[in-house]
Amino acid sequence: MGIGASVRRAFGPWERPVASAYRAIYLDLADLERVLARQVPRAASILEVGGGEGAVTELLARTFGEARILSIDITPRIGRLYAGRKDLVEFRQASVSEIADDQPASFDLVVLSDVLHHVPQNLRESFLGDIAHCVAPGGQLVIKEWARTAAPIHWLCYASDRWLTGDRIAFMTPDELRALVGRAVPGLQHAGEGEIAPWANNFFQAYQRPAA
C-alpha cells in the first residue's frame, strides 16, 4: 500500500498546486495536450481509463470542448482535484471491463495515460482487450507511457512512483508496448507515435479501429 494519498492530504489547501508541480517534473501536460489535438482532430465521446484525480481529464475537456467525457478509475478518489467544466464530464468508479460490457464500441477516443505500468504484467493483455472493445469504428486509442531506460531520471521516476503508490511498477519500452498491443488487440491499426516533453522517456502510441 502506497503513502501517496496520505502525503497529498497533508498538504491541505496546497495539495493541488503541489501535485501539479510534482507532475511537471516528469510530464509537460501542455505538450500532451498539443499531441492529442494533433493526433485526434475531433472526438464526440471520450473514455479516459485510470483518470485518477482529474489532471488529464481537465486537459481533455479543454482540448475537446464539445465532447462527452467519461473518466473511470477503480479508486474512490477519482476526479477529486478536477477543476474543469462539469456539464459534459462524468467521473465514475468502475473497471474498464464494466464499461466494455455496458458501452461497447461507443467512444471515438480512449485515453490511457500512465496507467499501464501499474497493471500486473499477466493482466495487461486482457486489460487492453477490454479497452479495445470500447473503441468505436474509426475511433482511436491513445496510450501515454513512461519508457524504461538506464537514465537517472527513469530511476527517480520509478522510485517515486513505487514509493507513492506501493504498486509493483513495471515499465516497458516503446517496442515492448507495440508488441503487447499487437498480441492483445490485433484488430487495431498503428496510427502514430512520438515523444512528449520534458523527457524522452515520455512517449505515446496511437491505434485506430478500422471504420465500419
Side-chain angles (χ1 to χ4, degrees):
M1 185 72 176
I3 64 170
S6 299
V7 169
R8 286 185 169 219
R9 284 194 296 269
F11 287 109
W14 296 100
E15 179 183 1
R16 181 182 163 90
V18 169
S20 297
Y22 170 78
R23 186 181 301 106
I25 296 171
Y26 300 106
L27 175 63
D28 183 343
L29 283 178
D31 197 34
L32 176 58
E33 185 172 354
R34 287 189 290 270
V35 164
L36 286 168
R38 184 173 64 247
Q39 182 65 40
V40 186
R42 55 188 172 275
S45 55
I46 299 173
L47 173 65
E48 181 190 12
V49 180
E53 294 177 339
V56 174
T57 321
E58 286 188 29
L59 177 159
L60 292 170
R62 287 194 306 269
T63 308
F64 304 96
E66 301 304 314
R68 292 193 173 275
I69 300 172
L70 173 59
S71 181
I72 65 169
D73 206 309
I74 58 174
T75 173
R77 298 189 303 275
I78 181 163
R80 194 171 60 88
L81 297 181
Y82 178 79
R85 59 182 297 176
K86 296 180 171 61
D87 55 331
L88 297 176
V89 177
E90 176 188 357
F91 291 97
R92 190 185 305 174
Q93 185 181 3
S95 69
V96 70
S97 62
E98 293 176 86
I99 305 303
D101 289 340
D102 293 342
Q103 297 176 250
S106 297
F107 299 93
D108 300 321
L109 172 62
V110 179
V111 175
L112 185 66
S113 180
D114 286 323
V115 172
L116 198 54
H117 57 265
H118 292 277
V119 178
Q121 296 184 65
N122 65 319
L123 300 179
R124 289 180 183 178
E125 288 194 25
S126 61
F127 179 69
L128 286 171
D130 288 334
I131 288 174
H133 283 307
C134 299
V135 182
Q140 289 195 50
L141 163 64
V142 176
I143 303 173
K144 187 273 161 188
E145 265 297 327
W146 178 271
R148 186 183 69 249
T149 67
I153 189 64
H154 168 67
W155 294 110
L156 179 62
C157 179
Y158 174 86
S160 60
D161 210 351
R162 178 80 174 87
W163 177 65
L164 287 171
T165 67
D167 294 343
R168 293 184 175 276
I169 305 298
F171 293 101
M172 294 176 288
T173 66
D175 286 346
E176 289 169 342
L177 176 57
R178 205 178 301 110
L180 174 63
V181 174
R183 291 193 307 271
V185 282
L188 295 188
Q189 300 172 346
H190 186 264
E193 61 184 276
E195 296 177 355
I196 301 168
W199 303 101
N201 298 72
N202 288 307
F203 72 97
F204 79 94
Q205 292 180 2
Y207 296 87
Q208 187 162 16
R209 181 174 295 285

